[in-house]
Amino acid sequence: MSNPAPAALIDIRSDLRDPQPGWSAVFALTLCVSTLIASEFMPVSLLTPIARDLALSEGTAGQAIAISGLFAVITSLCVARLSAGVDRRHLLMGLTALMAASGVVVAAAPNFMVLMVGRAMIGVVIGGFWSMSAATVMRLVPARDVPRALALLNGGNALATTFAAPLGSFLGQYIGWRGAFFVVVPLAALTFAWKYFALPSLPAPMAADQAGVFGILRKPKVAIGMAATALLFMGQFAAFTYFRPFLEHVTGVGISTLSLILLGLGGAGLVGNAVIGRFVARSLLGTLLVMPVLLALVALGLIRWGHQPLATGVLLALWGCIGTAAPVAWWAWMARALPDDAEAGGGLMVAVIQMAITLGAAVGGVLFDHLGYRASFALAALLLLLSGLLGLFCVPEGSKR
């Protein structure tokens, strides 16, 4: 007997039994994803000039990542109730306009407080967009094309993750960090115009039972898995957020070499994203254990050999290959652990990931400022090892391979 679909998905499918292809809208959403992810992670490659211009420590400037994550968490947990009855077309366009406004505010920020306001705005966009992205795609294309459309959306994510850091570093060298952030504005304007012409009316679906989002945590393996996911992202961002000042002050590389290393990190991420499916299919349990352990070893390797440019470049490429692919394994875990509650599980996972990014960047920044990079990277290694350990206990029976 087949498993029943979640109530919200039943409602969507019953409203649109024979949806017309909406590939132009899917491409518009993909551009939105790329612009959004680039905006989210732009500070990683621009911490040093931001800190210098606004008279901040690099750890304090790193809170630009933390604040966007915090507001993404709040938004992802509240957007369904706050937007009840709102046409999703209008909501998505409003979020796109907010993304453009965020770029303007950050680029013009005269002080730390205004910078944080701009970053909080992008956090709202992150939480709102990702909470409804999959459901929106399901309403734009026929059921047989949904996997291909979602893959396209995730491709925009991977592409932006690959090039955001090196592109930000490159642009910052020639037009300053403010100019680099302002580049988001015309891209957001293009996305807004494309959505205006491509997105059809998308009436709000029937509200799902919001208690289900937290009710799934009553399942022990789900609770353990969410904790392991949180530790993975906390560990990654306790180190990843501070790679630029580490490369400048410890490795001692110039802007050109720094950009090349960050490009290598991103390019390796594309490779990892392309092959991770094979490892997950072969052994989900092994993948959830091995990947965070390897990341922990990379963090420890950076402590040991971080002053050597070649060794550091190789280690960061390995970090990019594994770190970009690791979340794919956890989404695969969620699909197996919650086959009947995938929508609720996905919403909760978005909140967990964003909160983990916030905590990892915040705690890592405090340690970076007061105890140095060794403390931040050692914390990252510890959290990643704990993630791998918990991964041993959360894979559902029958999915041990």
Side-chain angles (χ1 to χ4, degrees), residues 50 53-54 67 97-122 177-179 181-185:
I50 291 173
D53 190 36
L54 298 181
I67 194 69
L98 186 62
M99 178 167 60
S102 169
V104 173
V105 171
V106 171
N111 53 49
F112 178 69
M113 186 59 64
V114 176
L115 176 71
M116 290 298 100
V117 169
R119 295 299 298 172
M121 292 164 66
I122 203 65
W177 70 268
R178 297 179 186 276
F181 273 103
F182 193 80
V183 167
V184 170
V185 178

Side-chain angles (χ1 to χ4, degrees), residues 29 101 244 330 337 362:
L29 293 176
R244 170 158 182 169
W330 278 108

Side-chain angles (χ1 to χ4, degrees), residues 243 246-247 251 253 257-258 260-269 271 294-295 297-303 305-323:
F243 278 170
F246 166 77
L247 288 169
T251 312
V253 299
T257 304
L258 184 148
L260 184 63
I261 290 175
L262 292 178
L263 182 62
L265 184 153
V271 174
L294 289 177
L295 285 174
L297 292 176
V298 171
L300 295 175
L302 289 172
I303 295 175
W305 293 291
H307 61 286
Q308 300 177 17
L310 180 59
T312 298
V314 172
L315 286 170
L316 289 185
L318 184 58
W319 178 284
C321 181
I322 300 169

